[in-house]
Amino acid sequence: MIKLIASDMDGTLLDSKMGISKDNASAIREAERLGIEFMVATGRAYTEAKPALDDAGIDCAMITLNGAKVFDKTGRTLFTAGIEKEVTLRILDILDAHNIYFEVSTNKGIYSEKQEKRIENFASHIATTMPHLTYKVAIAMAAAHLSLLDITYIDDMREQIKQDDIEVLKIIGFSMDGPKVLGPASTQIRQLPDLAVTSSAQNNIEVNHRNAQKGIAVAQVAKDRVISAKEVMTIGDNFNDVSMLQWAGVSFAMGNAELEVKDHAKYITSTNLENGVGEAILRAIREDL
C-alpha cells in the first residue's frame, strides 16, 4: 500500500490559474484521511510554492528547488544541498556568454538582475505550458505572479553571491529561443563538477548540486519515515521529475508530460488541466497500486 505521495507542481498539481483545483485538493485530503502522507516536490522556492498550497488549505512537507532544500510541514529545514560559489561563478559566465537570462535561488531568497526579463520569460513559460492562453494574458499572469514572490532585484549578481552569508541552491536560465540556445549552454555546464542539469519547460535549464535532485530528496524523506520505495508514489511532467519517477515504486506521468518523461513512469494520468493528480491519487487508492 502507498504510504507517501510526492507531486510536482508546475504542469502537474497546478491548473491554468496556477492554483490547485478543488478536485485535486479533495483527492489529497482523501489520501491523508487514509493515512497516506502527501508532499510536493517542486523546482520552485519555498516562497513561490507556499501560496498555492495555503490557498487550497494543504499543509505538507515540501521538497523545493529540485531537492536543494527540503522542509517539514512546519517549515523547518530538513536538509540542504548547495552549489559551490566558484562553480556558480563559472555557470553565470556560461549563461552570460550565451545571452541567457538567469535567476539565482539562495538561502536568503531569489535574486535577479533584470525585472523585465523575468516577466518576459515567465510569460513565455506560461504560454508554453498553457497554449490556450494568448501571450497578452500570459504577460498579465506573469506580472501578477511576480507581485506574490519574494524576489530581490540587484545590480551585480556576482558580488551578491560572494557574500559570506549567501548559499547558492539553484540557478535557472531562461531563453525564449529554447533548446537552440539552452542546449549548447547545458552541454558546457555539464562539464563542471558536481552538478545536475535538468529542465521544467522547453524554455529553461535548471542547475543544482548533483545531490539536489527530486529522486534523492524523496528517497531521503522516505528513509526518514521508514518507508520503502515500493510504498512511494510520485507524479510529474518534466525532466526535473525523472529521478523521482524512476525511484518510486508507483509513478505517474501527466497526460501533458514530455514524451521522454512518460517513458520513465509506470502509469499515465490526465493533464494538469483535467485534475490529473487527483485522478492518479484516487486510482492508486482504488486499485491499491
Side-chain angles (χ1 to χ4, degrees):
M1 178 180 174
I2 292 168
K3 295 182 179 179
L4 174 67
I5 299 171
S7 172
D8 173 48
M9 294 188 73
D10 290 277
T12 301
L13 181 62
L14 302 184
D15 59 20
S16 62
K17 297 180 180 178
M18 294 291 174
I20 300 170
S21 71
K22 291 182 179 179
D23 285 350
N24 282 345
S26 176
I28 290 167
R29 282 191 277 273
E30 174 62 14
E32 292 176 334
R33 186 185 71 80
L34 295 173
I36 303 168
E37 181 180 359
F38 176 83
M39 68 183 305
V40 294
T42 177
R44 293 182 175 214
Y46 184 89
T47 53
E48 292 178 294
K50 196 72 165 61
L53 293 167
D54 288 344
D55 287 346
I58 297 171
D59 186 22
C60 65
M62 300 166 63
I63 293 169
T64 68
L65 300 169
N66 291 333
K69 202 167 186 69
V70 180
F71 301 87
D72 66 15
K73 66 189 306 181
T74 69
R76 180 174 63 91
T77 300
L78 298 179
F79 55 89
T80 303
I83 305 172
E84 291 186 8
K85 292 188 178 182
E86 181 181 340
V87 175
T88 297
L89 294 174
R90 293 172 68 184
I91 294 167
L92 300 190
D93 287 343
I94 292 171
L95 295 175
D96 274 339
H98 290 272
N99 195 31
I100 295 171
Y101 164 74
F102 57 81
E103 297 168 11
V104 179
S105 295
T106 75
N107 60 321
K108 299 293 185 179
I110 307 169
Y111 294 98
S112 168
E113 293 177 331
K114 301 172 183 176
Q115 184 174 21
E116 70 282 359
K117 281 289 185 182
R118 219 253 182 212
I119 294 175
E120 178 183 292
N121 283 281
F122 192 72
S124 177
H125 168 67
I126 292 174
T128 299
T129 56
M130 303 174 198
H132 63 289
L133 299 178
T134 66
Y135 190 69
K136 184 177 180 180
V137 171
I139 286 284
M141 287 183 64
H145 179 77
L146 295 190
S147 68
L148 301 174
L149 300 185
D150 181 18
I151 185 166
T152 303
Y153 296 97
I154 56 177
D155 294 326
D156 192 328
M157 186 72 74
R158 287 162 177 79
E159 288 303 313
Q160 184 69 24
I161 65 176
K162 286 177 183 177
Q163 295 182 25
D164 291 340
D165 61 344
I166 292 289
E167 182 178 17
V168 177
L169 302 174
K170 173 185 161 184
I171 301 165
I172 184 167
F174 295 92
S175 174
M176 295 179 71
D177 292 322
K180 181 175 68 175
V181 170
L182 298 172
S186 296
T187 298
Q188 287 183 257
I189 293 170
R190 285 190 173 94
Q191 295 173 8
L192 300 177
D194 297 326
L195 296 177
V197 183
T198 59
S199 67
S200 58
Q202 287 288 323
N203 72 333
N204 73 34
I205 53 172
E206 302 186 1
V207 186
N208 291 91
H209 188 277
R210 64 184 176 89
N211 291 333
Q213 299 184 54
K214 291 184 182 183
I216 293 174
V218 172
Q220 184 61 53
V221 170
K223 181 181 178 181
D224 291 346
R225 287 156 172 69
V226 196
I227 296 174
S228 67
K230 68 180 181 180
E231 297 171 311
V232 177
M233 170 177 163
T234 56
I235 315 169
D237 75 305
N238 225 304
F239 294 103
N240 61 342
D241 301 314
V242 167
S243 61
M244 70 174 183
L245 295 176
Q246 290 176 325
W247 182 82
V250 178
S251 56
F252 279 86
M254 302 298 291
N256 53 287
E258 297 287 340
L259 291 177
E260 293 176 56
V261 174
K262 290 180 179 179
D263 291 339
H264 296 285
K266 293 180 173 66
Y267 306 97
I268 306 296
T269 188
S270 296
T271 72
N272 65 310
L273 304 182
E274 300 169 317
N275 308 306
V277 167
E279 176 184 302
I281 291 172
L282 295 179
R283 178 183 173 186
I285 293 171
R286 184 176 64 251
E287 299 181 13
D288 193 21
L289 298 180

